[in-house]
């Protein structure tokens, strides 16, 4: 067995193990995915929710741009989006969502398929 593959039996103290940094691109993908999972959100063509991420250390500021199904209770769906995105980002990354701005850029009707 190679010495590089040997795993120590006991882990070092957490302060001595190093650090973990999660990039804003990862936080953006988590936020976009979480927003797209909320009932009432819609894909505008091939585009799903878009997110921008800012902040530093363990605090992030998010800005989401998304489309909703028409007719949708906009305030209720946006409230659900805020809750889901904050929960997912904080649960997966460990970062605290300091601010979350949501822009609803489109209301898209449910259109049945033209061919059955």
């Amino acid at each position: 067995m190679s010495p590089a593959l040997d795993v120590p039996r006991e882990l070092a103290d957490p302060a001595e193990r190093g650090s973990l940094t999660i990039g804003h691109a990862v936080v953006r993908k988590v936020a976009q995915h979480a927003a797209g999972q909320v009932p009432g959100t819609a894909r505008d063509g091939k585009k799903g929710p878009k997110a921008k991420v800012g902040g530093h250390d363990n605090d992030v500021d998010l800005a989401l741009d998304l489309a909703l199904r028409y007719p949708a209770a906009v305030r209720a769906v946006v409230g659900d989006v805020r809750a889901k995105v904050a929960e997912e980002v904080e649960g997966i990354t460990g970062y605290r969502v300091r601010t979350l701005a949501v822009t609803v850029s489109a209301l898209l009707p449910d259109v049945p398929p033209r061919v059955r």
Side-chain angles (χ1 to χ4, degrees), residues 9-28:
R9 298 206 185 272
E10 292 183 31
L11 290 175
D13 290 331
E16 297 175 5
R17 290 185 204 159
S19 64
L20 171 66
T21 302
I22 300 171
H24 284 183
V26 173
V27 177
R28 179 176 49 83

Side-chain angles (χ1 to χ4, degrees), residues 1-9:
M1 177 181 256
S2 167
L5 297 177
D6 288 342
V7 178
R9 298 206 185 272

Side-chain angles (χ1 to χ4, degrees), residues 111-116:
V111 178
R114 294 173 22 134
V115 178
R116 289 184 187 216

Side-chain angles (χ1 to χ4, degrees), residues 9 15 19-20 25-26 39 48 52 63 69-70 77 88:
R9 298 206 185 272
S19 64
L20 171 66
V26 173
K52 292 183 182 178
R69 290 274 167 227
Y70 178 83
V77 174
E88 289 290 312

Side-chain angles (χ1 to χ4, degrees), residues 62-115:
L62 298 171
L64 290 172
D65 186 329
L66 51 89
L68 300 182
R69 290 274 167 227
Y70 178 83
V74 175
R75 288 184 190 265
V77 174
V78 169
D80 293 344
V81 166
R82 287 178 187 274
K84 178 73 172 175
V85 169
E87 176 186 347
E88 289 290 312
V89 168
E90 291 174 359
I92 291 173
T93 67
Y95 290 172
R96 184 179 73 91
V97 176
R98 186 171 51 185
T99 61
L100 177 53
V102 179
T103 300
V104 177
S105 58
L107 292 174
L108 304 174
D110 282 326
V111 178
R114 294 173 22 134
V115 178

